[in-house]
Amino acid sequence: KAGVTQTPRYLIKTRGQQVTLSCSPISGHRSVSWYQQTPGQGLQFLFEYFSETQRNKGNFPGRFSGRQFSNSRSEMNVSTLELGDSALYLCASSFPSSYNEQFFGPGTRLTVL
Amino acid sequence: ELKVEQNPLFLSMQEGKNYTIYCNYSTTSDRLYWYRQDPGKSLESLFVLLSNGAVKQEGRLMASLDTKARLSTLHITAAVHDLSATYFCAGVKTSYDKVIFGPGTSLSVIP
């Protein structure tokens, strides 16, 4: 079974630009969550999508948005990039079960110059 | 809101020794997760603990959960260099809530 895939793996952008990251979950998984990981703030929850609906949202500004498609693939968008947005962005998918175990993708390393 | 703490944050231990990483959480958590992250890599799921008294073991790692004390532990037995990584615990308030991660424990096993 293929794992969670994320594209692109690396991105370099400049301040003020916008970026779109993509995540393809494990086949059959309907929940996709996004996290931002930085050395200073650790792993922070961005949002979760389930069946094309945002189910949970973290404490990030409105510049961060996401969506999920009918095939469960998800995208997240960051507009008006700031230097502080440089981070590893991880997505995780899970299958609805009592465990709700999350499986993480390899991440997208975003650098904002 | 659920808060998850870990200690220690940094741990350097000799091969062959035993040690325990502690994970405390602030409110009722529906379940507790443990993950491992190698440098520059993504997170790998280690354990999912659902109920009070749950204990799970995989190789040299054993995780337990005490919901009354709001405490989970990750015990390392006879550490080997390959266990060097950052270990995260994470909790979720209810089944459909967001997962909150602890700060991570950076483990270094020295020969």
Side-chain angles (χ1 to χ4, degrees), chain A residues 98-102, chain B residues 23 31-35 45 47-49 88-92 99:
Chain A
S98 59
Y99 287 95
N100 265 356
E101 187 176 6
Q102 291 192 321
Chain B
C23 173
R31 70 206 62 195
L32 202 291
Y33 303 93
W34 283 97
Y35 289 89
S45 177
F47 302 108
V48 182
L49 303 168
F88 293 92
C89 67
V92 56
V99 177

Side-chain angles (χ1 to χ4, degrees), chain A residues 6 16 19 23 32 37 40 45 48 50 56 61-62 67-68 72 82 86-87 90 93 101-102 104 107-108 112:
Chain A
Q6 291 186 245
V19 67
C23 172
V32 173
Q37 186 176 31
F45 175 84
E48 180 202 4
F50 180 82
N56 286 295
R67 58 178 176 168
Q68 185 179 35
S72 294
E82 300 176 1
S86 294
L90 293 162
S93 73
E101 187 176 6
Q102 291 192 321
F104 281 79
T108 294
V112 182

Side-chain angles (χ1 to χ4, degrees), chain A residues 35 37 43 45 48 55-59 88 90 97-107 109, chain B residues 1 30-31 33 35 37 40-43 45-46 48 50 56 88 95-102:
Chain A
Y35 297 87
Q37 186 176 31
L43 265 162
F45 175 84
E48 180 202 4
R55 184 156 72 174
N56 286 295
K57 189 176 188 305
N59 299 321
L88 179 66
L90 293 162
S97 73
S98 59
Y99 287 95
N100 265 356
E101 187 176 6
Q102 291 192 321
F103 295 87
F104 281 79
R109 172 75 61 185
Chain B
E1 184 172 284
D30 190 67
R31 70 206 62 195
Y33 303 93
Y35 289 89
Q37 185 177 36
K41 299 289 181 68
S42 188
L43 276 76
S45 177
L46 294 174
V48 182
L50 291 184
K56 289 196 174 181
F88 293 92
S95 296
Y96 302 112
D97 213 338
K98 57 189 178 186
V99 177
I100 303 296
F101 279 79

Side-chain angles (χ1 to χ4, degrees), chain B residues 13-48:
Chain B
M13 56 189 297
Q14 283 188 310
E15 277 191 333
K17 300 290 187 184
N18 303 334
Y19 210 84
T20 300
I21 298 170
Y22 297 89
C23 173
N24 292 89
Y25 51 97
S26 60
T27 67
T28 305
S29 180
D30 190 67
R31 70 206 62 195
L32 202 291
Y33 303 93
W34 283 97
Y35 289 89
R36 167 183 172 146
Q37 185 177 36
D38 291 300
K41 299 289 181 68
S42 188
L43 276 76
E44 173 192 356
S45 177
L46 294 174
F47 302 108
V48 182

Side-chain angles (χ1 to χ4, degrees), chain A residues 2-14:
Chain A
V4 178
T5 58
Q6 291 186 245
T7 57
R9 294 291 311 279
Y10 302 91
L11 261 182
I12 299 175
K13 293 283 188 179
T14 55

Side-chain angles (χ1 to χ4, degrees), chain A residues 66-77:
Chain A
R67 58 178 176 168
Q68 185 179 35
F69 301 95
S70 58
N71 61 357
S72 294
R73 189 177 71 85
S74 177
E75 287 181 349
M76 68 163 278
N77 185 276

